[in-house]
């Protein structure tokens, strides 16, 4: 989760630089088939799943924007809940907006992590909570941000399936049916505000691993270290 320059030291915090392997490399298309098969224990589904295309354009999905929570007792604040959708792009856009929005004045660091963890798939073999934790400033830094009244609002511009991912699945659709995990890249902006009238904005981009099994709502699997075009 990006933070203003005045609270940054040498770039991202140590926590934000911690990228976990495992499901994160699901998004490396060259390793998709082998890694998913290993994590799934060799299981597979027989019917091929088409790569969704209708939601890949910015105009076909809602323009997600999440406002920072209103000021109030910390225990009443919540991270936005996952949407009920079977579209990986719609889900990814909603999660990115939630990830880029926060309010340290009303939400603790642990509440932020717990709230975002609620977006994870219940399938433990594919859920990667460490990838979420790596995006959140550590408790000390979060406390400094809170002292400074820092909060942010994320706004999504567009979301799409990376070309390499779509091409790989089109070549062998059966690989997708092992775990039904889609790579989705989301871009947007994050507006940050802090005490004393300070404010700034910066572009954002993230590639997510989103699991959308047939007949179930989508859920987050992991967050990739690399943004895939």
């Amino acid at each position: 989760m990006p933070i203003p320059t005045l609270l940054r030291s040498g770039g991202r915090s140590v926590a934000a630089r911690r990228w976990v392997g495992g499901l994160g490399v699901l998004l490396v298309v060259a390793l998709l088939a082998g890694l998913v098969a290993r994590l799934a224990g060799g299981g597979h589904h027989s019917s091929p799943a088409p790569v969704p295309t209708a939601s890949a354009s910015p105009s076909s999905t809602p323009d997600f924007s999440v406002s920072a929570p209103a000021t109030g007792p910390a225990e009443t604040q919540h991270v936005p809940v996952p949407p009920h959708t079977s579209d990986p792009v719609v889900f990814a856009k909603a999660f990115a907006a939630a990830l880029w929005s926060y309010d340290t004045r009303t939400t603790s660091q642990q509440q932020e992590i717990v709230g975002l963890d609620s977006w994870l798939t219940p399938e433990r073999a594919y859920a990667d909570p460490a990838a979420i934790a790596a995006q959140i400033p550590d408790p000390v830094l979060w406390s400094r941000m809170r002292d400074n009244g820092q909060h942010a609002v994320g706004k999504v511009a567009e979301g799409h399936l990376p070309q390499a991912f779509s091409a790989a699945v089109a070549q062998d659709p059966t690989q997708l049916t092992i775990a039904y995990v889609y790579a989705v890249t989301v871009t947007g902006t994050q507006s940050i505000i802090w005490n004393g009238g300070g404010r700034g904005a910066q572009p954002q981009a993230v590639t997510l691993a989103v699991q959308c099994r047939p007949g179930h709502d989508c859920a987050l699997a992991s967050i990739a270290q690399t943004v895939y075009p």
Side-chain angles (χ1 to χ4, degrees):
M1 180 181 300
I3 53 179
T5 302
L6 71 104
L7 292 182
R8 297 175 73 172
S9 175
R12 280 186 176 272
S13 66
V14 173
R17 290 198 304 267
R18 289 200 313 265
W19 289 97
V20 180
L23 283 174
V25 292
L26 277 171
L27 304 178
V28 182
V29 177
L31 301 179
L32 180 65
L35 182 60
V36 172
R38 178 175 62 82
L39 290 174
H44 66 278
H45 298 263
S46 58
S47 59
V51 177
T53 57
S55 301
S57 65
S59 60
S60 60
T61 54
D63 181 18
F64 289 99
S65 179
V66 177
S67 299
T71 302
E75 61 269 20
T76 66
Q77 305 308 313
H78 301 280
V79 171
V81 298
H84 294 290
T85 179
S86 59
D87 188 317
V89 176
V90 171
F91 179 91
K93 292 175 72 174
F95 178 79
L99 178 66
W100 298 334
S101 302
Y102 60 89
D103 193 337
T104 63
R105 303 169 301 176
T106 58
T107 306
S108 70
Q109 188 254 12
Q110 189 58 37
Q111 286 174 321
E112 187 75 9
I113 292 176
V114 170
L116 292 174
D117 278 352
S118 70
W119 292 65
L120 286 167
T121 174
E123 297 184 37
R124 296 183 62 183
Y126 299 104
D128 187 7
I132 290 178
Q135 296 292 306
I136 309 302
D138 62 47
V140 174
L141 183 54
W142 188 274
S143 177
R144 292 176 58 197
M145 293 162 61
R146 183 169 189 166
D147 291 343
N148 211 34
Q150 185 171 315
H151 51 290
V153 176
K155 185 172 184 179
V156 168
E158 65 89 34
H160 64 274
L161 303 176
Q163 293 180 354
F165 176 82
S166 297
V169 175
Q171 183 175 357
D172 185 3
T174 62
Q175 294 302 330
L176 183 61
T177 63
I178 295 171
Y180 288 94
V181 172
Y182 299 82
V184 184
T185 295
V186 182
T187 60
T189 58
Q190 183 185 50
S191 300
I192 306 171
I193 304 169
W194 58 93
N195 291 341
R199 62 180 57 240
Q202 53 192 2
Q204 295 290 336
V206 65
T207 298
L208 306 171
V210 179
Q211 185 181 53
C212 298
R213 287 198 183 277
H216 297 273
D217 286 338
C218 293
L220 182 71
S222 188
I223 303 173
Q225 178 178 7
T226 301
V227 176
Y228 293 87

